[in-house]
Amino acid sequence: MQQSPVQPIKGTRDFFPELMQTRQWLASKIIKVSEAFGYQPYEGPYIEKLELYAAKSGDELVKEQAFCFEDRGGEFVTLRPELTPTLARMVAQKQRQLAFPLRWYQFGPFWRYERPQRGRTREFFQWNIDLLGVNSAIADAEMICICAAFFESVGLTPDTTKIQINHRGLMDGEINRLGIEPDQKKDVFRLIDRRGKMDETAWRKYAADLGLKNNQINGISDLLMNHDLWKTSEDLTMINDVVKAAGYETYVEFSPTIIRGLDYYTGTVFEAMDIRGGRALLGGGHYDNLISDVGGETLPGVGFAMGDVMISVVLEDYGLLPDYEGLSDTVMVTIFDETTQAASLTLASTLRSHGLKVCVYPECEKLVKQFKYADRMGMAVALVLGPDEIANGKVAVKDLQTREQVEVSADIIVETLKKHLA
Ligand code: HAM
């Protein structure tokens, strides 16, 4: 009896070529925008000590979501749930040798044990981009401009996509004014973060369970509806000016409800949303103490991360993903019979040495079968090199869409194919 195939792990994805094309296309857009702003690629290890995140990532990420285990040496390690602590560790390690401002980006895999749903998986890719060593909101504004430039490059317009910005310092001041104790601040930030994810009654009960008084809950609620609050923040005003000067202001709005779940943010915080679907696309913010928390000297940083899952869903919904191309830029060389096989292989090598992508049919089969295969793989042309063609110094070029076949002199086959494929 045939066994059923072994199932993949829940929340992971198999990247068949079609999905792989999307991932590579997304990566190419990410690389292009990151490098257009002068950022360099970097990467860290995929596993880290659990204690690295215990420093500042917050309880939810460390206690509920980390894919952690004890290694054979008895150390608690985890598949990385995010990159910012690794970045901080790497920078702290070489702080004296590195040149600042430092602009780095990365696109790689991450793991979080979350409930898989549309747009969220347990294994996902993230684009991380960070700017370290600048003590001004101009750095924060640069991040916002990078987000907007990326959205523009993939065809997402300000009608559907907004970068929502807030400031933890600003919110801190307002929370203090409500007479909330400093040791309750973390809880209140979490409460603000939950506002959009809960209905009013549940949210108020959650607030009361945290020990907040009624007038304080009302005060927080009013705060979250004050859409002019940002104007009292110097940093947010500067961000607004820079983003305007760069021509991206239509992508931006200021929102007091954005606070972010991670504990290390100290200043500007932001998230980008697909507003029609209410879907979060990315998140980031400014952090002043993360480098010193992992043993370096105090150094400010700002950055964000975007997962590949939700952005792909949103781009697909708006018809902005490129069509699957298969091997449309690849030529297939057929094998006519055993006596001509070597000539076909030589032709394929010559074409490859001229930069063409070429595959050779691996068996002497009927030509019809070879053409059919090339067609199924999405190839546009197949070449035939039979005894007559070889004797006359020609190659037959079959266009698999029109089914037309023409004989071309072997001397000009490279140019002919390049023209055809273009
Ligand atoms: P984060 O908000 O935890 O921030 O994650 C950033 C983005 O990663 C999310 O907006 C989402 O697109 C994606 N993401 C997170 N979890 C999942 C999941 N389970 N499935 C699919 N996508 C997911 C950070 O990670 C910070 N380290 C960002 C940062 C960089 N801050 C400063 N620099």
Side-chain angles (χ1 to χ4, degrees), residues 281-303:
L281 297 171
L282 59 81
H286 183 107
Y287 45 92
D288 277 327
N289 308 320
L290 195 54
I291 317 295
S292 52
D293 283 337
V294 297
E297 289 159 34
T298 304
L299 187 78
V302 59

Side-chain angles (χ1 to χ4, degrees), residues 6 69 83 160 180-181 186 199 213 222 306 331 386:
V6 176
F69 54 96
L83 194 65
T160 62
I180 290 168
E181 299 297 322
K186 248 188 181 178
D199 67 39
K213 299 188 194 90
D222 290 346
M306 179 187 78
V331 173

Side-chain angles (χ1 to χ4, degrees), residues 82 84 112 114 120-121 126 130 260 264-265 281 303 305 307:
E82 60 153 333
T84 320
R112 290 186 195 177
E114 290 189 59
R120 277 196 114 73
T121 51
Q126 257 188 0
D130 289 82
R260 308 270 301 131
Y264 48 69
Y265 297 120
L281 297 171

Side-chain angles (χ1 to χ4, degrees), residues 67-371:
F67 264 90
C68 56
F69 54 96
E70 197 178 332
D71 72 11
R72 290 177 196 276
E75 183 147 42
F76 282 99
V77 297
T78 180
L79 291 173
R80 61 183 186 186
E82 60 153 333
L83 194 65
T84 320
T86 299
L87 168 67
R89 183 180 61 65
M90 286 168 68
V91 169
Q93 213 166 286
K94 295 227 172 184
Q95 207 158 349
R96 294 275 159 91
Q97 291 101 297
L98 291 167
F100 296 97
L102 174 148
R103 290 180 164 91
W104 284 0
Y105 80 94
Q106 173 271 6
F107 182 66
F110 294 85
W111 295 265
R112 290 186 195 177
Y113 200 84
E114 290 189 59
R115 192 169 61 80
Q117 50 191 300
R118 200 165 152 80
R120 277 196 114 73
T121 51
R122 289 185 174 167
E123 181 178 71
F124 55 96
F125 277 66
Q126 257 188 0
W127 168 29
N128 277 271
I129 183 157
D130 289 82
L131 168 52
L132 275 78
V134 183
N135 223 341
S136 140
I138 291 186
D140 305 359
E142 176 165 310
M143 281 299 144
I144 307 298
C145 293
I146 294 171
C147 288
F150 170 78
F151 292 140
E152 202 172 62
S153 79
V154 294
L156 287 172
T157 65
D159 303 338
T160 62
T161 314
K162 288 279 186 239
I163 305 157
Q164 300 177 323
I165 312 177
N166 195 17
H167 197 286
R168 281 198 173 179
L170 170 69
M171 298 307 279
D172 249 352
E174 297 298 319
I175 289 166
N176 288 344
R177 246 194 285 281
L178 294 171
I180 290 168
E181 299 297 322
D183 63 349
Q184 279 186 300
K185 198 184 80 182
K186 248 188 181 178
D187 286 340
V188 172
F189 278 172
R190 198 137 305 138
L191 178 72
I192 294 175
D193 189 46
R194 292 280 151 85
R195 183 63 197 95
K197 300 163 190 158
M198 289 174 141
D199 67 39
E200 169 98 27
T201 320
W203 184 77
R204 281 185 168 270
K205 183 176 180 311
Y206 178 44
D209 290 348
L210 290 174
L212 293 172
K213 299 188 194 90
N214 238 337
N215 64 326
Q216 291 174 328
I217 301 173
N218 291 338
I220 297 170
S221 189
D222 290 346
L223 205 58
L224 301 186
M225 286 185 288
N226 181 354
H227 284 268
D228 284 327
L229 191 63
W230 69 272
K231 292 179 183 160
T232 63
S233 157
E234 233 175 83
D235 281 356
L236 296 185
T237 309
M238 188 189 278
I239 291 174
N240 189 48
D241 294 345
V242 175
V243 165
K244 232 182 199 167
Y248 290 124
E249 73 272 23
T250 46
Y251 277 105
V252 168
E253 61 190 23
F254 292 92
S255 167
T257 58
I258 300 298
I259 204 78
R260 308 270 301 131
L262 296 159
D263 286 348
Y264 48 69
Y265 297 120
T266 50
T268 306
V269 278
F270 55 93
E271 282 178 7
M273 297 281 288
D274 163 51
I275 41 176
R276 280 196 204 156
R279 300 175 284 196
L281 297 171
L282 59 81
H286 183 107
Y287 45 92
D288 277 327
N289 308 320
L290 195 54
I291 317 295
S292 52
D293 283 337
V294 297
E297 289 159 34
T298 304
L299 187 78
V302 59
F304 68 82
M306 179 187 78
D308 68 322
V309 188
M310 192 56 103
I311 187 78
S312 303
V313 169
V314 169
L315 289 171
E316 184 168 25
D317 283 356
Y318 290 121
L320 294 170
L321 286 180
D323 291 335
Y324 179 55
E325 287 176 1
L327 290 175
S328 62
D329 59 350
T330 305
V331 173
M332 196 180 74
V333 177
T334 58
I335 305 286
F336 189 82
D337 62 24
E338 263 143 37
T339 67
T340 65
Q341 188 161 7
S344 282
L345 290 165
T346 307
L347 173 65
S349 293
T350 310
L351 297 178
R352 284 189 203 111
S353 72
H354 283 90
L356 288 159
K357 297 180 184 174
V358 184
C359 74
V360 180
Y361 198 83
E363 282 172 299
C364 296
E365 289 274 4
K366 283 193 185 126
L367 278 181
V368 181
K369 190 168 174 193
Q370 299 187 40
F371 291 148

